[in-house]
């Protein structure tokens, strides 16, 4: 029996504001053995995000640019259309002279076979593997008895609004109930606080080692 799958993606860039750039990203998700599977990537900067990149709309459409970026980062050709677009938001520049962005988010269904092909190709044939992309990551859409799983995953560092895009998509597709997601986020905050204490202890240890040199 062929199971339904989803792929989500985002692209960011200028559309109506001056001094803006376009950046595209995609998140993939599929249903495997009755469970939905979302894929994200570990970026070169150590942050979690979605595959993609900047798009110059004077040269190509957002969808064409996103398809190009997916080919480079995933090693497979995926068709993205305007029908897959679900969200767009303005993101001001972080510095006075830096360009602002418009972030665009896309959602696309894939088959189980296509998801597996993406996972394999991204590690074997993708041009950017090991450079801009360090590897694909499956999002754990479950909670363990000790509160791990999704809550622990959400405590990691994400690029830009990638965490928000993930959460909004889970709600939009009715894959998680709002109350379950709320519980996961509350536990994630506790996990983050515990990790911060561990980092402080590690910092003190390395400082002591440094002073001994």
């Amino acid at each position: 029996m062929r199971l339904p799958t989803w792929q989500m993606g985002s692209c960011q860039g200028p559309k109506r504001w001056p001094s803006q750039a376009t950046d595209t990203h995609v998140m993939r998700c599929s249903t495997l053995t009755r469970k939905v599977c979302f894929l994200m990537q570990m970026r070169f900067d150590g942050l979690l995000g979605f595959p993609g990149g900047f798009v110059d709309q004077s040269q190509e459409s957002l969808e064409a640019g996103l398809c190009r970026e997916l080919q480079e980062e995933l090693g497979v050709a995926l068709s993205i259309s305007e029908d897959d677009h679900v969200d767009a938001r303005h993101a001001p520049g972080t510095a006075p002279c830096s360009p602002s962005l418009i972030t665009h988010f896309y959602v696309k269904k894939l088959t189980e076979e296509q998801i597996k092909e993406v996972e394999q190709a991204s590690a074997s044939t993708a041009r950017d593997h090991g450079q801009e992309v360090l590897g694909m990551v499956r999002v754990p859409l479950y909670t363990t008895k000790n509160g791990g799983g999704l809550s622990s995953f959400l405590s990691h560092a994400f690029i830009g609004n990638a965490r928000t895009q993930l959460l909004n998509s889970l709600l939009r597709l009715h894959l998680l109930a709002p109350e379950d997601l709320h519980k996961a986020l509350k536990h994630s905050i506790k996990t983050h606080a515990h990790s911060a204490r561990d980092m402080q202890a590690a910092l003190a240890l390395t400082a002591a080692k440094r002073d001994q040199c």
Side-chain angles (χ1 to χ4, degrees):
M1 173 180 174
R2 185 181 298 273
L3 298 173
T5 65
W6 290 268
Q7 168 178 332
M8 297 182 216
S10 67
C11 80
Q12 304 171 337
K15 202 161 186 179
R16 298 179 181 174
W17 288 271
S19 301
Q20 297 169 335
T22 301
D23 185 20
T24 61
H25 301 276
V26 67
M27 176 179 73
R28 297 155 310 286
C29 122
S30 72
T31 302
L32 302 176
T33 62
R34 297 185 180 179
K35 294 182 179 179
V36 176
C37 170
F38 287 89
L39 296 181
M40 297 185 72
Q41 64 179 195
M42 177 62 71
R43 293 161 40 94
F44 69 96
D45 52 11
L47 300 176
L48 290 168
F50 305 125
F54 290 98
V55 174
D56 184 349
Q57 287 187 274
S58 66
Q59 302 293 327
E60 57 187 347
S61 68
L62 291 176
E63 291 75 28
L66 182 55
C67 290
R68 171 179 51 77
E69 292 289 344
L70 295 182
Q71 177 70 55
E72 295 173 358
E73 297 189 13
L74 305 181
V76 295
L78 295 175
S79 175
I80 304 295
S81 71
E82 292 185 1
D83 293 336
D84 301 320
H85 186 273
V86 297
D87 186 49
R89 301 188 183 189
H90 178 226
T94 56
C97 297
S98 63
S100 58
L101 299 174
I102 300 179
T103 63
H104 297 271
F105 197 72
Y106 291 77
V107 176
K108 185 178 180 65
K109 279 190 175 184
L110 295 179
T111 64
E112 178 180 346
E113 289 76 11
Q114 286 174 315
I115 282 289
K116 291 181 178 180
E117 179 185 0
V118 167
E119 289 182 308
Q120 295 173 357
S122 63
S124 59
T125 62
R127 190 190 72 177
D128 291 341
H129 180 71
Q131 301 179 47
E132 292 187 17
V133 182
L134 301 184
M136 304 307 299
V137 179
R138 291 195 180 194
V139 181
L141 299 180
Y142 53 83
T143 301
T144 62
K145 291 183 178 180
N146 62 354
L150 180 60
S151 60
S152 296
F153 184 84
L154 294 175
S155 69
H156 294 309
F158 291 71
I159 182 68
N161 63 348
R163 182 190 285 106
T164 300
Q165 290 174 326
L166 170 62
L167 298 177
N168 286 343
S169 299
L170 294 176
L171 294 174
R172 182 185 293 112
L173 294 175
H174 305 290
L175 298 176
L176 281 180
E179 56 270 24
D180 292 334
L181 197 53
H182 182 74
K183 291 179 182 178
L185 286 169
K186 288 183 64 176
H187 195 279
S188 180
I189 293 175
K190 294 180 180 179
T191 301
H192 187 76
H194 179 74
S195 297
R197 291 193 294 269
D198 285 346
M199 290 293 290
Q200 289 294 336
L203 182 63
L205 177 61
T206 55
K209 294 291 185 180
R210 179 195 60 190
D211 295 340
Q212 293 175 0
C213 297

